[in-house]
Amino acid sequence: KADGPVELLGHGRSRGHVLMNDTLVGGYDLPAGRDSVKLPAEGMRPSNTLVIFDAEGRSPAGVRVRG
């Protein structure tokens, strides 16, 4: 479990949604300035799965987790 805030930082993405452990946790829209998604600590497990749906099909290679 995370002790503090955790967020997904998006570099090179367009707009889309993020799921953590099969639960929708937020959306992002880089052209509109929303470039991060907060990951809820209460939904975290010892090992987590993130799924990133990008509307333009951009690669998640530049995505980073901070926290």
Side-chain angles (χ1 to χ4, degrees):
K1 246 186 175 242
D3 293 332
V6 177
E7 61 184 339
L8 189 70
L9 306 173
H11 300 287
R13 295 178 297 155
S14 62
R15 61 185 63 76
H17 300 285
V18 176
L19 288 89
M20 181 175 75
N21 301 325
D22 299 322
T23 301
L24 180 64
V25 293
Y28 60 91
D29 188 342
L30 266 68
R34 290 185 330 176
D35 62 352
S36 67
V37 175
K38 292 187 189 315
L39 303 177
E42 63 273 6
M44 292 201 176
R45 303 173 184 160
S47 178
N48 299 280
T49 300
L50 294 175
V51 176
I52 301 169
F53 290 104
D54 190 89
E56 295 180 11
R58 294 188 184 175
S59 170
V63 172
R64 301 289 180 258
V65 176
R66 176 174 66 190

